[in-house]
Amino acid sequence: MAAPQHVPFVTVEDEDDWVVSFALGPRGADRLTLVRTPHLEFMLRPEQRGVSVGAEAGQRPALLVAVQWGHKCVDVVSTAKRYSLDISKVDNATCNAALRVLGKMNFDQRFQLADGYP
């Protein structure tokens, strides 16, 4: 597997939409975004419900399968691709907020969430 992608910062939203977005690269120009909009899911077929994983512009979002959150690295597995992310530069408060939102996103156990974060 390739070396983990550098993540300079993570943004977290916990309002109508639940969002955890990883900035990628030295300047954070690209993003890997995990989004769940529970108040609109009733309009989707059951197999379409869950956390959307979007990375490249113009790419159709995939669904989240698993997240393995470690102290310095996060592995994100979607129905389309696996991502290895180096979060060593992200502060503890942001990591804790992201894990809390990921827990909310997983209210129906649609993906595996493993937290090895101290």
Side-chain angles (χ1 to χ4, degrees):
M1 180 177 232
Q5 290 183 272
H6 175 70
V7 176
F9 61 92
V10 174
T11 55
V12 179
E13 294 179 33
D14 185 7
E15 296 182 12
D16 288 342
D17 294 344
W18 298 330
V19 179
V20 176
S21 186
F22 299 90
L24 303 176
R27 295 186 193 112
D30 295 318
R31 298 274 181 160
L32 174 65
T33 303
L34 312 178
V35 179
R36 187 151 195 188
T37 309
H39 66 281
L40 297 178
E41 282 191 0
F42 72 93
M43 294 187 286
L44 299 173
R45 294 189 308 263
E47 66 273 11
Q48 295 176 315
R49 295 176 187 165
V51 178
S52 295
V53 179
E56 292 84 30
Q59 179 186 23
R60 185 174 176 177
L63 290 178
L64 185 62
V65 174
V67 176
Q68 173 73 46
W69 196 288
H71 182 66
K72 294 184 179 185
C73 189
V74 173
D75 289 322
V76 175
V77 181
S78 76
T79 52
K81 191 173 177 182
R82 179 185 195 106
Y83 304 87
S84 184
L85 309 171
D86 173 0
I87 59 162
S88 59
K89 301 298 181 195
V90 179
D91 64 90
N92 288 341
T94 302
C95 288
N96 289 332
L99 279 166
R100 184 179 49 75
V101 170
L102 283 168
K104 285 177 73 170
M105 288 179 173
N106 202 24
F107 66 88
D108 56 358
Q109 305 299 302
R110 289 209 176 252
F111 64 94
Q112 293 179 335
L113 177 58
D115 172 14
Y117 185 70

